[in-house]
Amino acid sequence: MSLDWIYYAISWILLTWHSAWDAIKVPVGSVLGTNWAWILAIIFLVVTVRVILFPVFVKQIKSQRAMQALQPKVKELQEKHKGDRETLQKEMMELYRKEKANPLMGCLPMFLQIPVFLGLFHVLRRLDPAKSNKTLYGWTVDQFNSASSAKLFTAPIAGKFGSTADELARLGANGTTVKIIAGILVLVMMGTTYLTSRQMILKTGWAEDPQQRMVQRLMLYGIPLSLLISGAIFPIGVIIYWVTNNLFTLGQQQWVLRKFPPLVTNQKTGSTAPRNAVQPARTGGFLNRAKPAAQVPAKPAAPKVAGPKPGAKPANPKKGRPAKRQG
């Protein structure tokens, strides 16, 4: 399957934003060793994609909430059909269909962004002055030459940490500068990738299932560490896209988590409630030390009748009663 339509779409968005910044007089030439019109075009490529995918992102959050609310029922089914995997899968799919929860929705926004990332990667790799066909994917010769010479702090956006000496010579770049700028951006890319995963895990909590917890650890540590190696083949422009996308994700997740707070499952009852729901006031004192329970005032006791004093004559209960009339 040809991916040319993706390359044309990415090129069109980049060129449209570049023209927009040019129209409002953003300097086309280098300022502080940076061609800001092209850097902003890459940044607003991220904004464009995220605005288009925002409804999908909201559906993802709602689906995750539905899945989280169904966890008590899922556990019941797992206990009921323990050892019968086929029946368990049928029951769970029926439960998801009935409650309109989609387990795959959580990964959909990420999968939809993969073609964009690959498209930008391909387009920026083409920014080689030695290319003969400079008008591919809707570019003009002037636009191609302008983009191929675009730099971030004197490092070409088409350059990468692993660029060969021949590639650097064609781009007119200094190898040390490219390695420093690319290396810093790779570290920032790793850090922001870690923070996006950590933000979501801290808000939703670690999974109780060992396999799901392993996946969370892979997302938290494995993917950022893998970028240390794969980042060497990414053009600087692609790393700018990745970092911007991570920063956008951090802000978007923070907003969504405030608007749709994660659910907390009551371990005793199996019920769920929003994490920021009003909780009973704590009775713990300083450093959560328990205060003594409030004393309930006792009911007043009935008054006791004083006994006779020592040496006193016993009272005659019949004294003072009217005498009986003799008939």
Side-chain angles (χ1 to χ4, degrees):
M1 178 180 178
S2 175
L3 297 179
D4 283 357
W5 68 272
I6 295 177
Y7 306 147
Y8 275 101
I10 297 300
S11 297
W12 181 83
I13 295 173
L14 282 175
L15 295 174
T16 300
W17 278 113
H18 182 265
S19 300
W21 300 122
D22 187 27
I24 62 176
K25 306 304 181 183
V26 172
V28 177
S30 177
V31 177
L32 297 177
T34 303
N35 300 92
W36 293 106
W38 284 110
I39 301 301
L40 289 173
I42 294 174
I43 291 173
F44 276 79
L45 169 63
V46 176
V47 175
T48 303
V49 172
R50 296 308 292 262
V51 168
I52 293 173
L53 293 181
F54 185 76
V56 180
F57 186 80
V58 173
K59 287 183 179 180
Q60 173 200 23
I61 296 298
K62 291 182 177 180
S63 178
Q64 288 176 342
R65 296 294 178 271
M67 292 291 295
Q68 194 173 1
L70 290 177
Q71 285 307 303
K73 294 183 179 179
V74 170
K75 289 183 178 180
E76 289 180 6
L77 290 176
Q78 289 173 341
E79 292 294 328
K80 181 179 178 181
H81 302 291
K82 187 181 296 184
D84 189 352
R85 195 174 188 83
E86 184 177 352
T87 304
L88 175 62
Q89 291 295 330
K90 289 181 180 179
E91 292 287 339
M92 288 179 64
M93 294 304 296
E94 179 63 22
L95 176 65
Y96 293 150
R97 186 195 63 78
K98 182 179 178 182
E99 299 295 336
K100 297 180 180 180
N102 188 352
L104 300 179
M105 183 60 71
C107 302
L108 186 58
M110 181 180 66
F111 286 136
L112 291 178
Q113 290 185 72
I114 290 176
V116 179
F117 176 80
L118 294 176
L120 180 63
F121 181 82
H122 177 80
V123 169
L124 291 182
R125 285 186 63 187
R126 287 197 68 257
L127 296 179
D128 186 342
K131 292 286 185 181
S132 57
N133 187 3
K134 298 182 179 182
T135 59
L136 191 62
Y137 308 136
W139 294 67
T140 66
V141 174
D142 289 340
Q143 288 170 336
F144 184 93
N145 291 335
S146 174
S148 62
S149 61
K151 295 177 173 61
L152 174 67
F153 302 121
T154 72
I157 61 173
K160 53 185 180 292
F161 189 90
S163 291
T164 64
D166 186 44
E167 291 172 340
L168 293 172
R170 292 199 301 270
L171 294 170
N174 179 279
T176 303
T177 302
V178 170
K179 282 181 169 52
I180 291 174
I181 299 300
I184 292 173
L185 285 175
V186 167
L187 293 177
V188 175
M189 177 173 63
M190 293 172 60
T192 52
T193 301
Y194 168 81
L195 289 176
T196 54
S197 298
R198 181 174 180 270
Q199 181 190 51
M200 185 59 72
I201 290 174
L202 289 180
K203 288 292 184 179
T204 58
W206 286 94
E208 295 182 5
D209 182 68
Q211 293 183 347
Q212 293 182 6
R213 185 179 286 257
M214 184 180 298
V215 172
Q216 286 179 319
R217 291 188 181 279
L218 178 63
M219 294 289 292
L220 187 61
Y221 302 112
I223 293 180
L225 288 175
S226 69
L227 294 176
L228 187 62
I229 300 173
S230 59
I233 66 173
F234 293 161
I236 287 175
V238 170
I239 303 178
I240 293 172
Y241 174 90
W242 193 306
V243 170
T244 305
N245 188 62
N246 284 346
L247 294 176
F248 201 100
T249 300
L250 284 170
Q252 195 175 61
Q253 283 184 173
Q254 186 64 27
W255 178 83
V256 172
L257 289 169
R258 286 180 180 274
K259 190 171 181 63
F260 305 101
L263 300 176
V264 178
T265 304
N266 188 317
Q267 301 296 333
K268 294 182 178 180
T269 64
S271 60
T272 56
R275 184 179 290 272
N276 64 349
V278 178
Q279 301 291 337
R282 292 184 178 181
T283 58
F286 182 66
L287 296 178
N288 289 332
R289 293 176 182 171
K291 290 183 178 180
Q295 299 293 332
V296 180
K299 294 181 180 181
K304 296 181 180 181
V305 179
K309 294 182 179 181
K313 294 181 179 181
N316 187 356
K318 295 183 180 181
K319 189 176 181 180
R321 291 183 181 179
K324 291 184 180 180
R325 299 173 64 182
Q326 297 182 358

